[in-house]
Amino acid sequence: MKRRNFLKGSALIAGAAVAGQATAKVTPPDSEKEIYEWRVYHFKNGGQKNKVDGFYRDALIPAMNEYGVKVGAFGEYSQTDPPTVHYLLVYKSMADYHRVKKALWNNETFLKQAKSYFEDTAANGVYTRFETYLLEAFDAIPQLRQPDKSRGLFELRTYESNNEEAGQRKIKMFNDEELALFDKVGLHATFFGEILAGPQMPALVYMLWFNDMDERTANWQKFVNSPEWKEMSGKAEYANTVSVVNKVFLVPLDYSQI
């Protein structure tokens, strides 16, 4: 009986040790990594866009700033018609994202400032709908890098992968090697984020800034021709990580904080 109890106890201890080792390998979420909300608005005409501009500029952005949330506002470089407008909301953490979402609808100043916009657009919609992407910042660039005031052009890139594992390997490539090369050749990073929820998954999104299109073209050429890129892109561990690359060129609106 004693031997049986001893063996049983030993098995429990061993099992606990294994469980402890497995638990130790799990990395807790980094509370310092920012959460990004990327919104894309589609309109029927430019006049409708002006109403959303006013809502963000006069009501939503001031309210978000009270909670420490910075907001970027961007139009498309191609001047598409009907227009498309992009917004980037920068939260300090996932907990902060939830806190602000709840607090906003109890903010009397915000509700008063936005009252006429809500009443008008409830009866007469101004956008067809807007898309939302929720992103978590990469380990290698956990906080947004504020671009220089000279920025005149942004490049937004979405990299889709055929499965989740391939997407994680591409994120590792950026964290371990590629982002450092971006910095070296003048591909100025604004943010990098993994899509946690959105229409395109699995995928990652990042945004670069440039003074103009000429600088963008020249610096991408430096990247493509660099020996570092040729070496890392040939590594087996990074094979088949990206299936589709989507690019959008953006310009900052006059009330953008990024």
Side-chain angles (χ1 to χ4, degrees), residues 32-44:
E32 295 184 352
K33 289 201 296 184
E34 290 176 332
I35 294 295
Y36 306 121
E37 184 180 2
W38 187 269
R39 299 180 181 180
V40 184
Y41 285 76
H42 301 275
F43 300 92
K44 294 180 180 179

Side-chain angles (χ1 to χ4, degrees), residues 50-218:
N50 293 338
K51 292 184 179 180
V52 173
D53 283 333
F55 167 65
Y56 270 83
R57 182 184 60 243
D58 303 328
L60 186 59
I61 291 179
M64 285 294 182
N65 290 168
E66 288 181 30
Y67 304 119
V69 177
K70 183 181 292 186
V71 181
F74 312 92
E76 294 197 350
Y77 177 77
S78 61
Q79 300 293 315
T80 55
D81 190 23
T84 302
V85 179
H86 302 248
Y87 292 99
L88 174 65
L89 290 78
V90 182
Y91 301 88
K92 296 175 183 177
S93 65
M94 185 62 80
D96 193 55
Y97 168 79
H98 289 296
R99 178 183 67 84
V100 172
K101 285 291 185 180
K102 292 182 178 181
L104 182 66
W105 297 105
N106 292 309
N107 185 320
E108 293 183 2
T109 302
F110 164 71
L111 294 175
K112 181 179 179 180
Q113 190 65 39
K115 186 175 185 295
S116 62
Y117 168 80
F118 287 143
E119 290 178 347
D120 180 25
T121 58
N124 303 287
V126 295
Y127 51 82
T128 55
R129 281 296 180 268
F130 68 82
E131 306 162 26
T132 297
Y133 298 80
L134 191 64
L135 317 170
E136 181 181 53
F138 281 15
D139 290 342
I141 178 170
Q143 285 89 37
L144 179 140
R145 296 176 183 175
Q146 184 67 24
D148 289 349
K149 292 182 179 179
S150 63
R151 87 279 190 259
L153 178 73
F154 289 92
E155 182 173 0
L156 184 75
R157 287 189 164 222
T158 303
Y159 287 5
E160 300 177 22
S161 300
N162 281 333
N163 62 42
E164 295 89 338
E165 187 272 343
Q168 291 301 310
R169 285 190 288 115
K170 184 58 185 177
I171 291 173
K172 181 179 185 300
M173 184 179 182
F174 273 118
N175 280 328
D176 293 353
E177 300 187 58
E178 201 169 348
L179 260 166
L181 181 57
F182 272 36
D183 291 341
K184 180 179 178 180
V185 301
L187 298 177
H188 313 299
T190 303
F191 76 86
F192 276 70
E194 177 184 1
I195 299 180
L196 302 179
Q200 295 166 282
M201 293 184 72
L204 63 88
V205 177
Y206 67 90
M207 188 164 72
L208 310 174
W209 69 267
F210 303 96
N211 293 320
D212 50 37
M213 188 62 79
D214 288 341
E215 183 192 16
R216 180 261 174 197
T217 301

